[in-house]
Amino acid sequence: MAYFQYRMSVILWEKQQKKEKKKKEEEGGKHGGERKEEDDVLIPPTNFSMVEDGLYRSGFPDSSNFGFLETLNLKSIIYLCTEPYPEEPY
């Protein structure tokens, strides 16, 4: 069952990526500019997985993961770690 949920989250994520890529291409054409290919690459945080519909878990994200996290439209992020939250951005 856990594999099925994980696979579904990957499929939903891939669909979202295709939609966003198409939207970016359309916007790029309207404004006459081209988008960098690296803007289209979204990297999930280490150990990212869907726990339930709308509930995710992962390792601590760094700046390369922020684009991916934005696509999830998260309302809250809970930091569960014994070390203090780092003040400096990654």
Side-chain angles (χ1 to χ4, degrees):
M1 186 67 165
Y3 173 76
F4 176 73
Q5 289 177 335
Y6 173 75
R7 184 68 188 137
M8 288 302 297
S9 66
V10 170
I11 291 169
L12 292 172
W13 176 75
E14 289 172 346
K15 282 184 178 181
Q16 182 69 24
Q17 294 304 305
K18 287 178 184 178
K19 267 191 210 176
E20 289 182 10
K21 185 174 183 179
K22 185 177 178 180
K23 184 178 178 182
K24 283 183 181 181
E25 288 172 355
E26 289 172 358
E27 289 175 358
K30 289 178 187 174
H31 301 295
E34 286 193 26
R35 303 275 182 181
K36 292 182 182 177
E37 187 172 318
E38 62 192 42
D39 289 344
D40 294 336
V41 177
L42 297 177
I43 304 167
T46 306
N47 297 325
F48 176 81
S49 182
M50 182 188 293
V51 178
E52 284 186 12
D53 186 31
L55 180 63
Y56 308 92
R57 60 119 176 117
S58 74
F60 192 82
D62 61 25
S63 59
S64 66
N65 307 128
F66 293 164
F68 174 82
L69 294 173
E70 287 176 359
T71 65
L72 300 174
N73 297 319
L74 301 173
K75 294 180 183 177
S76 301
I77 296 177
I78 300 172
Y79 177 72
L80 301 173
C81 194
T82 57
E83 295 92 32
Y85 183 78
E87 295 296 324
E88 296 179 16
Y90 279 81

